[in-house]
């Protein structure tokens, strides 16, 4: 009774206060907006400002619950709730809400925690290949072998050997036989991988040989506890006794000349793939660089006999045709990213307009020298120096000949964009430095020899110096380009121990090249932990903490199956590529988009890719999931 009287008295007081006649609107008590016809309820009193609420969710302009971020959708009220929708109109659903231990809106969820604060990455049922776990629990890719730096390999064709030279001191470090035929082998073309190992063709010995750059990594074949190998320019071991000569692959009838090597990243390291061209067979061969085994072979496009190969940075292999007196044939291109076995490499070759073909014959008349400069521009000698630009429209790719060079013996391009031409008749004999922007000769290094000696082999070492090999005098001239186009420092008479060196192709590791490698981590999750799923499991938010350098990457994949045995046949679904993708990722949404239903067994894969200077690292991985399970009795 007393409570009712107090309420009535209070109401009368409020009513009397609202009927005072002054300049203000009459204020009427209210609880909700509908108590105020034509107005809105604010702080328990009617306001003359109307509540505009088009979607009847209680929010809008002038409404007591505040404004509505989308007045045409009753679910987008401006306040985020856990319903899988973007309630606050900021583009993200359920953001900023943490209502479960999983840090998500999935009620009754469980969270898989790997790495920091959870299960160690190397705990069963984890699989690791090419990755390691540090003392701090961080998952990182194992660093590949560093490259052997500051080396050049010069074939001494006349005596069947090859000489390893320190490019800083010009000192010959070792000398190796390149094949079983000794003086008849005639080593000539070379290719060097990112480890610094050399692959050399024995043109008349008809074989290919690989020699390791670092004795510390050579195999101890005879098990005597030491590696037996050459220790200097006069220490040439008999064929078969030098343990740094890793393998020799016979190629009878092929007369191999063109050779190039490209490294393919694999688990725990990388695998060199060696491409060899046979003049007499008009075939291209791919060899396993680790074993020397032939993997497959196929005919060259339009049967152009290859004499020189050159790779661009995108895996396109350019082939220069062989010359016999009058030049014949045309340049060809092979896309080695798609030419991966014999069936994929034997498709009919396309003409100049077939830029998207696996094999293509280019509209360039036959020349036997080639170099690839910046932006994939080809530098040719036909016999003048000229350029072929793959970015130009068809019919306008081949540039005008540079009249400053009259007989090009060879070319090489450095990392700064300079092109150097070994020319046999420019104001006598010399090495021409060409401005790649204009194609004009900007400086000439005179050849310090008489009697018709000509510069022939050209290569750029990892310090940017140009090595020009002289077949007639059996030595090298080394040119250090200066900052100005006409500024060079020259050393002559370097390594004067060569015998008729028939050098043509790259003799050094590509400047700036660094070994790449891959690492793989997989974790197999049983969402019922040994029980039996009674309902389809739900997969929720996937997140991670990782450090991925600019020159590295990580891809995330997942596959799912009803049982452990069925998992091997399940298809992998790409979830994210880091960068650019960033966490969190709704794994359930990704699988639904790809038409996959989550099942009891879920396998998560992290694939790491990087270099010794850019190692990806993963601190933790989290996956929210919910499952209904029955535990067998």
């Amino acid at each position: 009774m007393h409570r009712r009287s107090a309420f009535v008295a209070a109401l009368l007081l409020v009513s009397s206060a609202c009927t005072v006649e002054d300049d203000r609107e009459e204020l009427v008590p209210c609880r909700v907006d509908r108590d105020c016809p034509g107005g809105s309820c604010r702080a328990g009193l009617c306001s003359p400002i109307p509540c505009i609420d088009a979607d009847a969710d209680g929010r809008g302009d002038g409404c007591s619950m505040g404004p509505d971020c989308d007045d045409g959708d009753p679910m987008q009220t401006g306040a985020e709730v856990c319903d899988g929708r973007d309630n606050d109109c900021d583009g993200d659903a359920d953001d900023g809400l943490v209502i479960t231990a999983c840090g998500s809106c999935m009620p009754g969820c469980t969270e898989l925690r790997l790495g920091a604060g959870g299960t160690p990455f190397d705990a069963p049922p984890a699989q690791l290949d090419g990755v390691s776990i540090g003392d701090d629990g961080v998952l990182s890719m194992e660093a590949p072998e560093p490259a052997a730096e500051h080396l050049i390999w010069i074939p001494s064709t006349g005596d069947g050997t090859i000489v390893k030279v320190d490019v800083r001191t010009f000192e010959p470090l070792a000398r190796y036989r390149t094949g079983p035929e000794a003086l008849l082998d005639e080593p000539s073309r070379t290719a060097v991988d990112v480890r610094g190992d050399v692959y050399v063709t024995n043109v008349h010995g008809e074989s290919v040989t690989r020699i390791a750059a670092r004795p510390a990594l050579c195999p101890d074949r005879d098990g005597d506890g030491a590696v037996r190998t050459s220790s200097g320019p006069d220490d040439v071991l008999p064929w078969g006794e030098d343990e740094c000569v890793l393998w020799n692959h016979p190629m009878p009838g092929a007369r191999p000349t063109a050779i190039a090597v490209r490294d393919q990243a694999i688990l725990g390291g990388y695998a060199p793939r060696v491409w060899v061209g046979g003049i007499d067979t008009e075939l291209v061969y791919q060899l396993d660089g680790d074993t020397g085994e032939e993997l497959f072979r196929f005919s060259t496009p339009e049967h152009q006999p290859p004499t020189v190969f050159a790779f661009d940075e995108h895996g396109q292999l350019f082939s220069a045709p062989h010359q016999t007196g009058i030049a014949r044939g045309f340049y060809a291109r092979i896309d080695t990213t798609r030419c991966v076995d014999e069936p994929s490499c034997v498709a009919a070759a396309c003409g100049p307009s077939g830029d998207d073909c696996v094999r293509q014959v280019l509209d360039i008349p036959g020349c036997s020298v080639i170099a690839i400069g910046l932006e994939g521009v080809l530098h040719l000698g036909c016999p003048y120096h000229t350029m072929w630009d793959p970015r130009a429209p068809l019919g306008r790719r081949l540039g005008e000949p540079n009249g400053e060079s009259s007989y090009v013996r060879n070319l090489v391009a450095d990392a700064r964009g300079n092109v150097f031409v070994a020319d046999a008749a420019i104001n006598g004999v010399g090495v021409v430095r060409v401005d790649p922007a204009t194609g004009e000769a900007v400086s000439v290094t005179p050849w310090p020899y008489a009697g018709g000696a000509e510069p022939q082999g050209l290569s750029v070492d990892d310090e940017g110096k140009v090595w020009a090999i002289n077949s007639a005098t059996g030595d090298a001239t080394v040119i250090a380009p200066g900052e100005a186009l006409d500024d060079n420092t020259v050393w002559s008479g370097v390594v004067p121990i060569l015998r008729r060196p028939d050098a043509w192709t790259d003799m050094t590791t590509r400047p700036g090249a660094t070994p790449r490698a891959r690492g793989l981590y997989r974790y197999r999750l049983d969402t019922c932990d040994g029980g039996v799923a009674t309902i389809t499991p739900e997969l929720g938010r996937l997140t991670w903490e990782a450090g991925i350098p600019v020159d590295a990457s990580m891809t995330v994949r997942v596959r799912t199956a009803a049982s452990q045995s069925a998992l091997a046949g399940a298809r992998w679904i790409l979830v994210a590529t880091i960068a650019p993708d960033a966490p969190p990722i709704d794994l359930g949404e990704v699988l639904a988009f790809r038409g996959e239903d989550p099942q009891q067994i879920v396998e998560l894969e992290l694939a790491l890719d990087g270099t010794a200077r850019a190692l990806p690292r993963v601190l933790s991985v989290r996956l929210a999931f919910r499952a209904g399970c029955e535990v067998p009795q």
Side-chain angles (χ1 to χ4, degrees):
M1 187 71 176
H2 293 290
R3 291 180 182 175
R4 178 177 178 82
S5 300
F7 173 76
V8 170
L11 182 59
L12 290 172
L13 287 173
V14 171
S15 300
S16 62
C18 291
T19 57
V20 175
E21 295 184 2
D22 55 19
D23 295 335
R24 295 175 297 176
E25 297 285 347
E26 181 178 2
L27 299 179
V28 178
C30 60
R31 294 183 180 180
V32 294
D33 291 334
R34 64 174 175 268
D35 293 339
C36 307
S40 61
C41 183
R42 296 191 173 190
L45 299 174
C46 288
S47 169
I49 301 175
C51 170
I52 301 175
D53 181 10
D55 55 11
D57 60 3
R59 293 178 178 269
D61 291 342
C63 299
S64 59
M65 294 179 65
D68 194 337
C69 68
D70 184 351
D71 210 18
D73 185 346
M75 302 305 296
Q76 290 189 298
T77 63
E80 197 71 74
V81 295
C82 281
D83 60 359
R85 297 182 58 118
D86 177 23
N87 308 112
D88 59 2
C89 307
D90 67 351
D92 295 313
D94 296 345
D95 57 309
L97 300 175
V98 178
I99 65 167
T100 72
C102 297
S104 68
C105 287
M106 180 185 285
C109 77
T110 303
E111 187 173 57
L112 169 68
R113 299 186 177 188
L114 299 172
T119 302
F121 280 114
D122 56 352
Q127 174 190 346
L128 300 90
D129 290 296
V131 297
S132 59
I133 313 297
D135 294 338
D136 55 0
V138 172
L139 175 75
S140 63
M141 191 191 76
E142 294 176 352
E145 301 170 10
E149 300 177 322
H150 314 308
L151 296 178
I152 186 170
W153 299 85
I154 307 176
S156 183
T157 309
D159 58 12
T161 67
I162 193 167
V163 181
K164 182 173 67 174
V165 180
D166 187 322
V167 302
R168 298 165 299 178
T169 65
F170 302 160
E171 177 187 359
L173 302 175
R175 193 172 197 142
Y176 307 88
R177 295 215 174 275
T178 62
E181 303 299 327
L183 299 181
L184 298 179
D185 279 314
E186 295 202 6
S188 177
R189 276 63 161 173
T190 51
V192 182
D193 66 18
V194 293
R195 278 175 279 202
D197 295 358
V198 69
Y199 305 78
V200 56
T201 62
N202 296 303
V203 178
H204 292 290
E206 298 189 324
S207 68
V208 177
T209 297
R210 177 183 176 184
I211 304 172
R214 286 174 290 187
L217 299 179
C218 298
D220 177 17
R221 291 198 191 97
D222 56 14
D224 64 355
V227 171
R228 189 179 181 209
T229 187
S230 173
S231 59
D234 299 321
D235 181 22
V236 183
L237 302 185
W239 178 250
E241 295 186 14
D242 196 309
E243 292 176 321
C244 282
V245 178
L246 300 182
W247 51 257
N248 173 265
H249 177 74
M251 302 183 69
R255 197 153 58 101
T257 54
I259 188 167
V261 62
R262 187 166 187 259
D263 296 285
Q264 174 181 317
I266 60 172
L267 292 180
Y270 51 91
R273 293 291 181 256
V274 186
W275 298 78
V276 183
I279 290 179
D280 291 344
T281 57
E282 296 183 347
L283 295 175
V284 176
Y285 307 79
Q286 189 188 97
L287 309 181
D288 184 322
D290 287 328
T291 66
E293 174 190 4
E294 181 182 317
L295 301 178
F296 60 89
R297 64 175 73 179
F298 59 95
S299 63
T300 56
E302 298 299 322
H303 301 284
Q304 307 294 322
T307 189
V308 173
F309 282 157
F311 264 118
D312 73 5
E313 61 181 0
H314 304 296
Q316 304 302 305
L317 180 66
F318 291 89
S319 172
H322 180 55
Q323 291 186 148
T324 53
I326 299 175
R328 64 185 178 92
F330 290 85
Y331 279 87
R333 178 193 59 80
I334 301 169
D335 184 351
T336 65
T337 66
R338 293 187 292 164
C339 172
V340 295
D341 52 24
E342 184 177 354
S344 62
C345 298
V346 297
C350 299
S353 61
D355 288 348
D356 59 346
C357 293
V358 175
R359 301 194 304 164
Q360 180 185 21
V361 177
L362 305 177
D363 55 344
I364 309 174
C367 310
S368 59
V369 292
I370 184 174
I372 297 179
L374 297 181
E375 306 295 333
V377 173
L378 274 61
H379 295 268
L380 320 165
C382 296
Y384 303 97
H385 167 251
T386 188
M387 296 184 292
W388 185 86
D389 190 343
R391 302 165 301 177
L394 288 173
R396 295 166 53 188
R397 295 179 174 179
L398 190 62
E400 293 296 324
N402 170 18
E404 296 293 327
S405 59
S406 54
Y407 183 66
V408 174
R409 294 283 288 168
N410 214 333
L411 312 103
V412 71
D414 68 13
R416 293 193 296 174
N418 296 306
V419 178
F420 293 85
V421 177
D423 201 304
I426 174 170
N427 300 323
V429 176
V431 174
V432 182
R433 187 175 179 182
V434 175
D435 183 344
T438 64
E440 297 178 356
V442 293
S443 68
V444 178
T445 300
W447 207 237
Y449 307 106
E454 299 173 351
Q456 179 176 299
L458 289 179
S459 195
V460 178
D461 66 29
D462 56 10
E463 294 188 334
K465 299 190 300 296
V466 179
W467 289 67
I469 310 302
N470 187 352
S471 179
T473 58
D475 59 11
T477 292
V478 182
I479 305 166
E483 291 300 323
L485 289 174
D486 59 353
D487 179 21
N488 299 314
T489 302
V490 181
W491 296 266
S492 60
V494 177
V495 199
I497 61 171
L498 307 173
R499 183 178 176 187
R500 194 169 45 82
D502 187 31
W504 282 93
T505 48
D506 284 345
M507 296 167 274
T508 60
T509 302
R510 297 182 303 277
T514 181
R516 300 198 68 84
R518 291 186 68 237
L520 193 70
Y521 172 80
R522 288 177 179 171
Y523 188 87
R524 188 171 293 187
L525 168 68
D526 184 342
T527 58
C528 283
D529 195 20
V532 178
T534 56
I535 62 172
T536 301
E538 295 179 54
L539 300 181
R541 189 175 72 166
L542 173 70
T543 187
W544 58 85
E545 294 179 86
I548 311 297
V550 172
D551 197 27
S553 67
M554 179 174 79
T555 56
V556 183
R557 297 195 305 170
V558 69
R559 62 180 176 178
T560 179
S563 64
Q564 300 276 1
S565 59
L567 193 64
R571 68 167 178 158
W572 285 103
I573 303 297
L574 178 64
V575 175
T577 300
I578 303 95
D581 295 331
I585 299 289
D586 190 317
L587 195 52
E589 287 187 1
V590 172
L591 293 180
F593 180 78
R594 299 294 297 273
E596 290 280 336
D597 291 326
Q599 300 186 62
Q600 179 173 335
I601 309 300
V602 178
E603 188 165 35
L604 185 70
E605 176 191 87
L606 310 179
L608 309 178
D609 180 273
T611 70
R613 299 172 183 171
L615 289 176
R617 304 170 74 248
V618 184
L619 283 69
S620 66
V621 176
R622 303 282 188 270
L623 173 61
F625 67 94
R626 179 171 59 187
C629 306
E630 181 178 283
V631 180
Q633 300 297 322

